[in-house]
Amino acid sequence: MFKTNKDMPPCAMSLADMSHNKTGSWRTFKPVLDENKCIKCFICWKFCPENSIDIENDMPKINYDYCKGCGICSNECPKKCIEMVEE
Amino acid sequence: MKLTIPGEELMGHGNLSCQGCGGSLAMRYALKALGRDTIAVIPACCWSIIDGPFPYSCLKIPVFHTAFETAASAASGVSAAMKIKGKKTTVLAWAGDGGTFDIGIQALSGAAERGDNIIYICYDNEAYMNTGIQRSSATPYGAWTTTTPAKKFKSAPKKNMVEIMVAHKIPYTATACIAYPEDFIKKIKKAKGFQGTKYIQVLAPCPTGWRYDPAKTIELSKMAVESGIYPLYEVENGIYKISRKAKNKTVKEYIKMQGRFSHLTGEVIDEMQKNVDKEWELLIRKEEFYGHTKE
Ligand SMILES: Cc1ncc(C[n+]2csc(CCOP(=O)(O)OP(=O)(O)O)c2C)c(N)n1
Ligand SMILES: [Mg+2]
């Protein structure tokens, strides 16, 4: 990235994101979505503090690489179609 | 498919917040509102950790980490630099309640009085969480913290920082709550439209420090607003406007969900309820009074 001294920034700067940090390993309970009962309100997506619920083919999709298992999605789901299952 | 908040994510994966962190959600929403052309200035607080250790950062915008007391003054400097460079980049000062109500108050007051062009957002988790739950002046009356242990719970009320900012006669001051992201995002976008110092205080519960189940973060946040303990309102050029009028939950319902209040008895709770009712009444009167002086 930096070939000479002149390419270096004048201050400390971040070189990469945090995606190497797979926080999914912190989880003890895992949210499991019942797609048949889902009404696609995306409230689970909206309230995920890890931004680890994606929207794929008009359906919420939980990203287990990063989901820490807080259970907010399950608690807020108006149809109660996200179950917390012990890992 | 209809989403009620912007779809773009500027907070990446792998952040270091605890499970169910309100502060993490607050940042996710704030960046959705502000967009890519933003620089964040973050003093010492949980967010200096959540973002990731050097040389990593989970945010897709530039982040300037700075000393605990300097959020507003560092942001003022960045804002001045942007002006010299002829850039329209939004400068966001993002600090915790300790960094705002306590140690950062003089820097913030200075910036507000000078009218430096920054958006200052305080994510309020009502204690010094990053260093292990010490009381701050944002900690509410009656709460347990590690420096106000059980029977010696905090005996002073929460400092009214919002009114302190309103008293600076800045163009825009607002409160928000992570359970109402549409309202929070609307307020940030509105703040962006003003020249000068803008202050938004967002309630961001902390499951670790408040002692509750992380799954309840949103439920509890809603309760804080619905009980009138954390009223949502904005003050635009001196005109008060309450964002959510209904007050239909009690203090008791709110505090019984949290371990930090578990030592409280009936009389203390009644006293707290009386204070909340009084403050709520005062807020309604302010809205009425300033509404009349509008024209
Ligand atoms: C001058 C100074 N004093 C103390 C600290 C240690 N310290 C780092 S973060 C922190 C607590 C911050 O509390 P708050 O601003 O409420 O943010 P939170 O951690 O709750 O998100 C403290 C005391 C410091 N970094 N600098
Ligand atoms: Mg705090």
Side-chain angles (χ1 to χ4, degrees), chain B residues 44-47 68-69 96-99 103 123 125 127-131:
Chain B
C45 60
C46 282
W47 252 102
F68 201 9
E69 57 277 52
D97 51 285
I103 197 169
Y123 70 100
N125 52 24
Y128 292 76
M129 295 308 180
N130 188 38
T131 40

